Amino acid sequence: MTGWVAVAGLGPGDDALITPQAQSALAEATDVVGYGPYVARVAPRPGLVLHPSDNRVELERAAHALDMAAAGRRVVVVSSGDPGVFAMAAALFEALETRADADALDIRILPGITAMLAAAARAGAPLGHDFAAINLSDNLKPFAEVERRLRHAARGGFAMAFYNPRSKARPHQFARVLEILREDCTPDRLVIFARAVSTPDEALRTVTLAEATPEMADMRTVVIVGSEATRRVGRWVYTPRSVP
Ligand code: SAH
């Protein structure tokens, strides 16, 4: 039997947002590997082995998936959203760098609907022009680098999408992020807090930068900051297609 490894995105939460391609890979899989809550979204069935693991063991998890594929298993590594956006696809390639069989392995990256796109669709079209996606977590980069990228994105006129905006382990950093934004953006800039999009807990809230507070974000929230041109029409928020 020829093994393979597919790195699949399960989308933001609603099963209707899992692509048919990811569903077929899961239907053919012998093993599913990933962070516990994502593996829990895969229905158990006879012949399928689930390997949930902790959040912080990405490289070990990727190496385990590659080992199993090399041994002939059909492995799906699951991420939420899209596997290439702050997720497992890059970790898999990092693990691949240490192997001699890089091109002999059958590897597939199956895209998914990432949180910022699901959130943007609920709000209207706030990412309708140029935008930058920034991971605010300092687990994998120093916070000084987060600050630097944030300033450049704000000064560059981009709309922005923030992933991992705020956690219990680092409650103060998002307050600092708002401070930095206030240095470069006017107080009427629109900010969308989109929590648990496409799940039963979904909550969307649009405020101005002046009204935004750190408590409006948590780890289940993606924050979209509009550009200077982003505006409201009725209950919608959108960024026009052209810049004057
Ligand atoms: N690969 C994922 C992102 C993983 S990082 C993707 O493409 O979406 C985890 C962060 O994604 C969370 O802290 C949050 O900022 C965001 N996120 C994931 N699912 C979300 C959802 N359903 N609603 C809002 N934000 C979400």
Side-chain angles (χ1 to χ4, degrees):
M1 184 177 35
T2 318
W4 46 256
V5 56
V7 192
L10 299 181
D14 182 350
D15 285 351
L17 299 181
I18 303 178
T19 67
Q21 194 183 41
Q23 277 164 348
S24 322
L26 287 168
E28 290 169 25
T30 56
D31 299 85
V32 173
V33 173
Y35 176 41
Y38 305 153
V39 173
R41 288 183 56 194
V42 178
R45 60 172 161 78
L48 180 67
V49 187
L50 302 176
H51 306 267
S53 51
D54 188 65
N55 208 0
R56 303 209 171 216
V57 295
E58 287 191 348
L59 278 180
E60 290 93 317
R61 190 193 288 154
H64 181 211
L66 290 167
D67 284 342
M68 287 194 289
R73 314 265 316 163
R74 300 185 298 273
V75 186
V76 177
V77 180
V78 287
S79 282
S80 75
D82 179 272
V85 179
F86 311 131
M88 279 304 294
L92 187 98
F93 290 116
E94 207 173 321
L96 192 64
E97 282 191 13
T98 64
R99 301 180 66 106
D101 57 354
D103 272 332
L105 291 172
D106 181 348
I107 297 174
R108 310 156 189 187
I109 309 299
L110 312 181
I113 297 178
T114 187
M116 68 177 173
L117 299 185
R122 278 283 196 264
L127 304 178
H129 209 291
D130 301 336
F131 64 88
I134 304 177
N135 184 352
L136 295 187
S137 165
D138 63 352
N139 283 344
L140 301 170
K141 62 177 182 277
F143 194 70
E145 186 59 19
V146 175
E147 290 194 12
R148 194 180 73 83
R149 292 180 187 202
L150 185 63
R151 281 183 206 283
H152 281 292
R155 289 176 191 166
F158 292 98
M160 288 166 260
F162 300 146
Y163 285 74
N164 297 306
R166 187 162 178 264
S167 76
K168 291 198 183 84
R170 42 184 184 84
H172 308 300
Q173 289 173 354
F174 189 64
R176 179 76 192 121
V177 164
L178 291 175
E179 255 174 48
I180 292 170
L181 288 174
R182 286 181 177 125
E183 289 170 19
D184 287 299
C185 308
T186 55
D188 59 351
R189 183 67 65 96
L190 293 176
V191 184
I192 301 161
F193 292 89
R195 181 169 194 274
V197 174
S198 88
T199 79
D201 303 326
E202 177 176 300
L204 247 84
R205 183 170 181 185
T206 303
V207 299
T208 62
L209 181 56
E211 295 161 340
T213 64
E215 298 70 36
M216 290 177 183
D218 66 6
M219 280 307 272
R220 295 186 74 192
T221 306
V222 65
V223 182
I224 297 179
V225 179
S227 73
E228 212 173 44
T230 304
R231 55 193 189 232
R232 296 181 192 256
V233 53
R235 64 191 172 85
W236 302 100
V237 177
Y238 85 107
T239 306
R241 298 268 292 128
S242 57
V243 168

